Amino acid sequence: EPEVTQTPSHQVTQMGQEVILRCVPISNHLYFYWYRQILGQKVEFLVSFYNNEISEKSEIFDDQFSVERPDGSNFTLKIRSTKLEDSAMYFCASADPDGAYEQYFGPGTRLTVT
Amino acid sequence: AQTVTQSQPEMSVQEAETVTLSCTYDTSESNYYLFWYKQPPSRQMILVIRQEAYKQQNATENRFSVNFQKAAKSFSLKISDSQLGDTAMYFCAFMKRPGAQKLVFGQGTRLTINP
């Protein structure tokens, strides 16, 4: 069964450093999302992406964040200058209109900012 | 804006028992989907069940079923014959329609199935 993959599974970085989280969505999906989950809290929407542009973004998704689909298969989330409060689990998801836009999640990347 | 509320932070039942997790939501939309996601200790988000708001019939998936009360904006999940592998965080989520929209999650319910 096709699945969403994410790399790395765990990333440790120092405050102020740039990080790039990578996702490979399911191949025929057209809609892509990033969510984050701070430990012990609920899952929060960050951004959605369709047709090579951002469809919607949340208040969390400020100028420090950016997304890109550089090569037609990968979908990346970049945090330019990490803060301690960026420490969280980051989930990528993808959806297909033929599947009633049901979102399939990747296993997540745990980001730890020290 | 939509909100999703899960009022039970934690629940615990014995294996083989039936358990019901509660979820309420607030929206002015008439066309939407509701979901239950399971998050085991591995933290992978796994879709359990989906309900389309325009369908009156409650969704079922094997041991999992929902009680969807549209007027009351209530969407509970019933797990029958619970198994140890059902131990996980369960999140209720809302998605407005049409098209591909974001998921709005509740705070989650931590369910523990005891042997």
Side-chain angles (χ1 to χ4, degrees):
Chain A
E1 187 174 328
E3 58 183 20
V4 177
T5 60
Q6 290 185 244
T7 55
S9 57
H10 190 192
Q11 172 97 43
V12 181
T13 190
Q14 290 190 327
M15 195 167 52
Q17 295 296 304
E18 175 184 286
V19 293
I20 297 176
L21 310 183
R22 291 183 167 80
C23 168
V24 179
I26 294 173
S27 60
N28 62 332
H29 285 189
L30 301 177
Y31 301 87
F32 314 110
Y33 310 81
W34 284 102
Y35 294 84
R36 82 171 185 190
Q37 184 183 32
I38 295 171
L39 187 63
Q41 297 187 21
K42 66 179 178 181
V43 179
E44 301 174 289
F45 168 76
L46 290 178
V47 65
S48 58
F49 191 85
Y50 170 69
N51 201 25
N52 281 321
E53 60 183 29
I54 291 174
S55 309
E56 185 178 359
K57 59 183 181 179
S58 71
E59 297 173 347
I60 304 166
F61 194 88
D62 61 22
D63 292 344
Q64 292 299 312
F65 291 87
S66 62
V67 289
E68 194 177 37
R69 188 155 161 81
D71 57 10
S73 61
N74 291 284
F75 179 50
T76 62
L77 174 69
K78 181 193 291 187
I79 308 175
R80 263 181 267 285
S81 177
T82 50
K83 307 184 187 80
L84 294 176
E85 54 265 37
D86 292 328
S87 294
M89 195 79 164
Y90 288 81
F91 292 101
C92 172
S94 68
D96 168 25
D98 292 340
Y101 303 100
E102 193 170 291
Q103 293 182 29
Y104 292 81
F105 282 76
T109 292
R110 183 188 301 275
L111 177 64
T112 303
V113 183
T114 62
Chain B
Q2 291 77 33
T3 59
V4 178
T5 302
Q6 295 177 248
S7 58
Q8 305 152 310
E10 293 189 31
M11 295 189 72
S12 177
V13 298
Q14 297 298 119
E15 193 175 6
E17 288 183 348
T18 294
V19 59
T20 299
L21 309 183
S22 301
C23 173
T24 58
Y25 59 96
D26 189 24
T27 185
S28 58
E29 304 286 336
S30 58
N31 187 10
Y32 52 87
Y33 281 5
L34 294 163
F35 303 87
W36 279 97
Y37 279 87
K38 169 184 177 180
Q39 188 181 44
S42 66
R43 299 194 74 183
Q44 170 94 51
M45 296 289 287
I46 301 165
L47 178 65
V48 174
I49 199 163
R50 179 186 77 199
Q51 175 76 43
E52 296 156 26
Y54 64 86
K55 287 189 178 178
Q56 292 186 337
Q57 187 172 6
N58 289 322
T60 62
E61 286 287 341
N62 301 312
R63 297 182 296 108
F64 298 88
S65 61
V66 298
N67 184 4
F68 173 49
Q69 302 289 327
K70 191 172 184 179
K73 295 180 182 172
S74 169
F75 182 61
S76 61
L77 174 69
K78 185 171 85 170
I79 306 174
S80 304
D81 186 25
S82 57
Q83 301 174 358
L84 297 179
D86 296 333
T87 293
M89 280 289 284
Y90 286 82
F91 292 97
C92 178
F94 173 100
M95 183 174 78
K96 70 178 182 180
R97 298 300 311 278
Q101 306 281 352
K102 67 185 179 191
L103 288 165
V104 177
F105 286 89
Q107 304 93 318
T109 296
R110 183 177 303 279
L111 175 65
T112 302
I113 310 299
N114 299 305

